[in-house]
Amino acid sequence: MDRSAADMTDVEARSLGHVLRGGLAGLNAVRAARCLVAVATLLLILVTLDPFPDLRSENFATVVSGRMALTYIAFGLLAVVAVLFVAVTDAPAVKSLLTPLHLCLIGWLLINIAFSENRGVSFQRFVLAASVTSLAVLLPLLPPTQRSFNLCLGGAALALLVLCYLGVFLAPQYSIHTAFDITEPQLAGDWRGSFGHKNVASPVMTVLVYVGIYLCGVGSFVMGPAIAVLAGIFLIFTGGKTSSVLCLAIYALASLVYVTRGLWLKRIICFVPLIAMNLLTVGSVLSPALGAMTRLLPLDPTFTGRSAIWEFALAAVAEKPIIGHGYAAFWDDLTERQTAQGAEWATSAAHSHNSYLDLAVTIGLPGLLLVILVFVLAPLGNFQSAQAHNRSRALAKLFLTVWLFGLYYGATETFLLDRQSPIWFMFTVAAAGLHFLARFQCAGQVEPEH
């Protein structure tokens, strides 16, 4: 009787051990799958399904557009998988996104699409933007710990950098602008890596410099410096003046915000230079007084004649100031639009070269206001809250720096709500990361050693 009982106990113990091992293996598999989705998302947005496009080919645009269906499917499937993963384990974090302000922005975008000048184009592009933005928002939640988040981010960054450098050294005709490019042959010699333009490569490299600095700060003394140095060198060779100037300036600004205590003082430090930058650029074509001031500056704030584009875009805002011309539907067909004499560049422009002005054109002034409330004002308040609760200081600073870079980069280029733009993606990751850090403790928090 005793021996039989002992045998039963031994069998039960072995069965329990087998179940526990199986459970742990399943748990590890789920964690690995979440990391895999995170890395796949980063590589899809950074490398794309069409890396190293041949800009010398007249069929370049046709080839890219022909692969858009696969891009929609890839982002859509990844978004669905990401939602399923985080809905199971991070339901409170997901529910925290359902704020009245966020819902108002989504509602306004849907209204804007309904009244768009090209409803089909707006809706189609909104579907892609929704998938990409959802992935960006959920990316901070996918890796189960901060350490795994660091590995996913660093691994994807290194993979991109290796690919870009291999392209430069092994296939320069596909990774460096040439004099034989169909458009903008004057960029010959500027590195673009796997991207289609140096103006995409340069801001991405700036963000990777910040990622490398962050990884150095949390103890990654091999991966961190490698990413920072490789990205910094590549940034210089892209010839991207705006990103190169902003790179260190924004990091210094973020460091100043980081050590500043009061929220209002943080707002002054962040937003006063941003407002001044927009006044000296777009504002210079609105106000003769501001225009006279900009002409006295030692540099050209119109970035070689962009004032013609800004005048054209401002006229478009005046046509439909409330509802706008339609999400992502304005700049495709300008053949019937009238422009001022000598503004030929404006008729062929792909965007207004200012994210805030572009939003006013496409989704109207109410839409612009909602984007400012959600993506400009709210993240700084979230950073203040994350600091007050001492939540992942190094990670919070990374998000703050990337977010600040996006705000200032947006004064010279258009990327806000821009579908699969890697800058929009990383900017949204930063804004969402600050949102979550303001409300939740990061699992497996990693801090710099003191």
Side-chain angles (χ1 to χ4, degrees), residues 27-367:
L27 184 61
N28 289 334
V30 170
R31 289 178 174 177
R34 292 169 71 110
C35 291
L36 183 62
V37 172
V39 172
T41 298
L42 286 166
L43 292 178
L44 180 61
I45 198 72
L46 294 173
V47 178
T48 76
L49 295 175
D50 187 42
F52 301 108
D54 186 0
L55 303 185
R56 301 164 301 168
S57 171
E58 294 182 357
N59 298 323
F60 162 65
T62 306
V63 170
V64 173
S65 61
R67 296 177 183 171
M68 283 306 294
L70 188 57
T71 298
Y72 275 75
I73 294 170
F75 277 114
L77 288 176
L78 279 174
V80 170
V81 173
V83 169
L84 292 176
F85 272 134
V86 300
V88 174
T89 57
D90 301 280
V94 176
K95 288 179 181 177
S96 73
L97 295 169
L98 301 177
T99 68
L101 201 55
H102 293 167
L103 294 176
C104 283
L105 175 57
I106 295 172
W108 179 259
L109 287 172
L110 294 175
I111 293 171
N112 172 264
I113 291 169
F115 289 93
S116 171
E117 293 178 350
N118 194 329
R119 194 179 299 115
V121 169
S122 291
F123 179 75
Q124 178 183 343
R125 293 175 176 176
F126 177 75
V127 170
L128 180 58
S131 298
V132 173
T133 305
S134 298
L135 281 167
V137 169
L138 299 179
L139 186 75
L141 301 177
L142 281 171
T145 64
Q146 184 178 344
R147 192 175 300 278
S148 57
F149 176 82
N150 296 346
L151 289 172
C152 291
L153 191 60
L158 276 178
L160 173 67
L161 287 166
V162 168
L163 192 65
C164 287
Y165 274 98
L166 285 175
V168 167
F169 293 118
L170 300 181
Q173 68 274 25
Y174 296 107
S175 52
I176 300 177
H177 285 286
T178 73
F180 300 102
D181 290 357
I182 298 300
T183 60
E184 297 183 288
Q186 69 274 16
L187 299 179
D190 291 338
W191 290 11
R192 60 182 175 90
S194 62
F195 301 96
H197 199 282
K198 71 157 193 173
N199 285 347
V200 180
S202 57
V204 169
M205 293 301 157
T206 299
V207 172
L208 294 190
V209 170
Y210 300 148
V211 169
I213 294 172
Y214 158 71
L215 292 174
C216 291
V218 294
S220 180
F221 299 122
V222 176
M223 184 184 291
I227 292 172
V229 171
L230 291 173
I233 293 172
F234 205 100
L235 171 61
I236 294 171
F237 281 98
T238 63
K241 298 180 182 65
T242 301
S243 296
S244 298
V245 170
L246 287 178
C247 183
L248 294 180
I250 293 300
Y251 189 80
L253 187 66
S255 299
L256 181 59
V257 173
Y258 185 80
V259 299
T260 301
R261 291 185 178 275
L263 179 57
W264 272 105
L265 190 53
K266 281 184 169 73
R267 287 172 176 161
I268 292 171
I269 294 170
C270 288
F271 301 138
V272 168
L274 180 64
I275 293 170
M277 191 173 177
N278 279 282
L279 287 176
L280 291 174
T281 51
V282 176
S284 67
V285 302
L286 274 175
S287 166
L290 285 172
M293 287 177 59
T294 58
R295 286 190 290 272
L296 297 174
L297 295 175
L299 48 83
D300 179 17
T302 68
F303 298 92
T304 321
R306 288 181 184 176
S307 54
I309 300 178
W310 297 332
E311 289 174 356
F312 177 68
L314 287 167
V317 174
E319 290 176 12
K320 293 186 175 182
I322 304 300
I323 198 63
H325 292 266
Y327 171 74
F330 177 76
W331 296 97
D332 283 355
D333 184 11
L334 302 177
T335 54
E336 298 181 1
R337 298 190 185 279
Q338 300 298 317
T339 61
Q341 186 176 2
E344 291 84 0
W345 188 14
T347 63
S348 60
H351 51 79
S352 66
H353 289 278
N354 183 287
S355 289
Y356 310 101
L357 177 57
D358 217 76
L359 289 177
V361 171
T362 55
I363 63 174
L365 295 175

